[in-house]
Amino acid sequence: MTKFTGLRALALAALIPTTLVLAACSAAAAPGTGSSDSPAEPVKVRIGVSEIGPIQDVLKTVASENNVEIEWQAFSDWTLPNEALVNGDIDANAFQHIAFLSAFNVAKDADVQPVGPTQITTWGLYSENYDAVADLPAGAKIAIPNDPSNGARALFLLREAGLIELGSDIGIYPTTEDITKNSRNIEILPVVAQQLPTTYPDVDAVVVGAATIDKALSITSDKALLLDDPHADTSLPYTNVLAVRGEDKDKKEWADIVAFWQDPRVAEALKTESKGNSVVATVPVEKLRSTLAELEKLAEDIKN
């Protein structure tokens, strides 16, 4: 792993985004090049997340060992971390997959770009009252996320479950209008994604992230009626990323920060925290960016 401690502070000042807070003055020397009494001060970055948990603590430790101080900023609404990033209130965010990011970029005419993968999470179909897909009654109420990317993922899972059929050439963003067959008259109820665990007892089933429902309701993935495969090619759009403003995407230092997610301690913390429902992702950044561009084009076509 490349360490910040091997870089001169002058190089850091020239290469990192201007919104990053440098505690060292631009004339300070890197460790070993100046007085032993004046080691280089750490680089400080502000990263937006949806919540702060054990994995963030481990990442903070790994970063500090590489002379980087991470300040986590939690947001309760999934639209806010991107808006804060665009507005310059934070330096990066790490909460979303690239399908969600593509929808944001198109809707807001923004340029937020991935600089590397973080993790990917399994999603599933869960029910409090039924033990199998076949047990769901006609007219069953199924709650899914109301945002374009996660809602589309939910529809794909319902199609895999055999509950609905979708039209051809629907791309990555099908909506309920793309349902061509619903022989069991399933009633699909779009709700805010964060409210799906709350909705769970009041509907026949929900489509939600396995880690989310486990954390909220202690419902493990073995209770799911159906799970998707996070390693399948079709799951690529749902790879979570560290994202920055487009103007900053090629700054070398972001690659160093992305590498923190590959530390074995982070992988173990993620496995423990998510109870195995999330894993560290290793998709090359070039593939993430090309996939993002493809998804943005699809979203633009739908928008127009």
Side-chain angles (χ1 to χ4, degrees), residues 18-291:
T18 56
T19 56
L20 296 183
V21 182
L22 291 180
C25 67
S26 60
T33 61
S35 169
S36 60
D37 295 328
S38 302
E41 293 292 335
V43 175
K44 298 181 179 180
V45 296
R46 297 161 296 171
I47 302 179
V49 291
S50 58
E51 61 182 329
I52 300 174
I55 186 175
Q56 279 75 29
D57 292 337
V58 175
L59 280 162
K60 199 168 187 176
T61 297
V62 175
S64 67
E65 293 172 355
N66 290 274
N67 210 34
V68 178
E69 287 186 7
I70 296 177
E71 176 187 337
W72 300 109
Q73 183 169 342
F75 296 86
S76 59
D77 187 309
W78 286 357
T79 64
L80 297 179
N82 279 329
E83 292 176 357
L85 179 59
V86 170
N87 293 335
D89 298 326
I90 55 177
D91 306 307
N93 63 46
F95 78 102
Q96 66 191 326
H97 50 57
I98 53 178
F100 187 94
L101 174 55
S102 68
F104 173 83
N105 277 346
V106 171
K108 300 293 185 178
D109 193 26
D111 183 26
V112 175
Q113 293 290 322
V115 291
T118 58
Q119 65 190 62
I120 186 165
T121 300
T122 298
W123 274 53
L125 176 66
Y126 294 83
S127 175
E128 183 174 51
N129 299 312
Y130 304 99
D131 297 324
V133 172
D135 296 335
L136 291 170
K141 293 179 171 61
I142 300 179
I144 70 170
N146 68 348
D147 63 90
S149 57
N150 288 308
R153 186 179 189 180
L155 291 177
F156 284 131
L157 189 59
L158 294 180
R159 180 179 67 178
E160 184 180 347
L163 294 171
I164 61 172
E165 292 183 11
L166 299 171
S168 58
D169 300 325
I170 54 174
I172 198 65
Y173 292 118
T175 69
T176 53
E177 295 181 358
D178 294 305
I179 296 174
T180 57
K181 186 176 181 180
N182 183 2
S183 58
R184 294 166 66 177
N185 296 315
I186 300 298
E187 183 178 352
I188 297 174
L189 306 173
V191 301
V192 175
Q194 296 95 319
Q195 296 178 359
L196 287 168
T198 304
T199 307
Y200 175 71
D202 302 320
V203 295
D204 295 297
V206 298
V207 180
V208 66
T212 298
I213 196 166
D214 195 337
K215 183 176 294 185
L217 302 175
S218 298
I219 297 173
T220 54
S221 59
D222 62 318
K223 302 297 184 182
L225 279 59
L226 182 69
L227 292 170
D228 65 7
D229 179 4
H231 300 291
D233 289 341
T234 53
S235 295
L236 176 60
Y238 308 114
T239 304
N240 282 32
V241 297
L242 180 70
V244 303
R245 289 177 292 278
E247 64 200 65
D248 299 327
K249 68 178 182 180
D250 294 323
K251 303 298 185 183
K252 177 186 177 297
E253 284 68 29
W254 291 122
D256 294 326
I257 294 177
V258 168
F260 299 160
W261 266 269
Q262 305 301 318
D263 188 285
R265 290 168 290 177
V266 174
E268 185 60 30
L270 178 60
K271 180 180 178 181
T272 300
E273 182 178 350
S274 71
K275 299 182 180 178
N277 294 315
S278 298
V279 295
V280 172
T282 58
V283 182
V285 65
E286 295 80 7
K287 190 169 186 178
L288 292 173
R289 290 177 181 171
S290 63
T291 301

